[in-house]
Amino acid sequence: MTGEETRTTMSEPIRSSAQDAGLQTPATRAWRTRLVIVGIVLTALNLRPAITSLGALLEEVRDGLGMSGSVAGLLTSVPPLCFAVFGVTAPRLARRFGPGAVVCAGMVAISAGLAIRPFAGNTAGFLVASALALMGIAVSNVLMPVIVKRWFPDRVGSMTGLYSMALALGTAAAAAVTVPMARALGGSWQSGLAVWAGLAAVAVLPWIPLVRARGTALSADAGAAPARGAAPAPTTGSASAARQEPAALRITRSRTAWALAVFFGLQATAAYITMGWLPQIFRDAGVPAGTAGLLLAVTMVMGVPLAFVIPRLAARLPRQGPIVVALGVCGLAGYAGLYFAPAGGAWAWALLLGVSNCAFPLALTMVGMRARTGAGVAQLSAFAQSAGYLISIPGPLLVGVLYQHSGGWGSPIALMTGLMLPQIVMGVLAGRDRTVEDEAALGHRR
């Protein structure tokens, strides 16, 4: 991604909106704002069912496709790999086509991938179709903080909370009802996985009218209320608007950006290990398959209320380190429970790990807080998420290898526990009260 691409990522929508800014009525702006909120919520609902629905039926998928434990571990590593590879392209695609069009296309990709993969017939086809769905998730992951910052600059905490709450709800729903739906549809794991394509298809709908309003779809001056005290949006053409954008950040010169990327990567490692393997841990401890899916749902559903509370709390604090530590301690307690009494205290461990997994909405909130401008948020979001997901790739795969070769869950859980410690340290560093723009400028002067 070049500096020019990054610099114009957030200025591209101004082209059309500047031309018809005078034609926007309050009713039109309010309608578009409500439509963006609906789009954000429906998009968030679809950003994890592709993963948690598979976790609930992983044993059936392995048996049906003849996967070994190592290959299943590879399968659970595909999400962060796709998020890293495709997520970094999101700012470029948003500059070229507009963020609304990219998210809309992402929802189409998710729907198509989820409809195709259960019927691919072999492991390779299953992986390719999964990658198609995950590509759509990847670009939407990166653009959601950008959209929130652009449309709701004075409500980053509350809107990130709403988005995160919807994401957690979709994650939990897929974990809870995939097994019962598979049974209701004749006991076929293929049908249990394919049904989630319909939810993604619904999420396409609110973006269509926004995409048709090319350029006005995701521009604060075209539909959203500006931040309190903000200057009026520019009404010049795209060329002069682009010239008003700040120079591209040297994001790699920011220590906070690196700390946030590592924190994001380690929390993603824990999350994808949990989503991919937690039901299997409980099933191997003697918990029935349906109950194991419900336990994963409990873990995910903890994010529904907390994902709304934590971003709002984090946005009011100058430093987010205390929240990072509290979430990390819950994770350590949950892993200890899985090690010593996985079945006996299963519900308690699921709750604790659910609290710990709320490091994700906290990380998203810090992305919006650690940059001052929309362009800065776009760069930081792409960098932190892409680098973070690269960091997270080996974790689920290594858990699968350790599980297969050790014959139990002792070594994998020890690995998960060990990774929680640097996650806490990096989160405290990322939560300091500073911005990447200031750090990048300081690094340049040096």
Side-chain angles (χ1 to χ4, degrees), residues 241-260:
R243 286 194 297 269
Q244 293 173 6
E245 289 290 316
L249 295 173
R250 297 289 185 91
I251 197 74
T252 55
R253 290 178 171 170
S254 167
R255 294 180 180 178
T256 295
W258 280 107
L260 187 54

Side-chain angles (χ1 to χ4, degrees), residues 73 144 190 193 215 226 265 271 341 343 405 409:
M144 283 298 102
Q190 289 94 339
L193 293 182
H405 290 282
W409 288 105

Side-chain angles (χ1 to χ4, degrees), residues 3 17 44-45 53 66 128 153 160 173 194 231 247 250 266 268 310 321 330 335 348 387 401 403 406 418-419 430 434:
S17 62
L45 286 171
S53 62
V128 170
T160 300
R250 297 289 185 91
L266 291 173
I310 289 176
C330 288
Y335 292 143
V401 172
Y403 172 57
S406 68
L419 291 176
R434 55 194 65 191

Side-chain angles (χ1 to χ4, degrees), residues 146-166:
V146 178
I147 292 170
V148 168
K149 183 79 169 183
R150 189 71 172 175
W151 275 83
F152 310 99
D154 58 340
R155 290 184 283 165
V156 170
S158 60
M159 289 306 301
T160 300
L162 178 64
Y163 154 69
S164 301
M165 186 170 63

Side-chain angles (χ1 to χ4, degrees), residues 339-403:
Y339 186 89
F340 291 108
W347 296 99
W349 318 143
L351 287 169
L352 286 168
L353 291 175
V355 174
S356 180
N357 278 349
C358 287
F360 174 71
L362 176 61
L364 288 180
T365 306
M366 288 196 286
V367 167
M369 295 179 67
R370 297 285 89 89
R372 286 196 304 268
T373 65
V377 171
Q379 270 193 269
L380 181 58
S381 181
F383 175 76
Q385 293 200 46
S386 296
Y389 284 126
L390 279 175
I391 291 169
S392 71
I393 290 171
L397 176 60
L398 187 55
V399 165
V401 172
L402 289 174
Y403 172 57

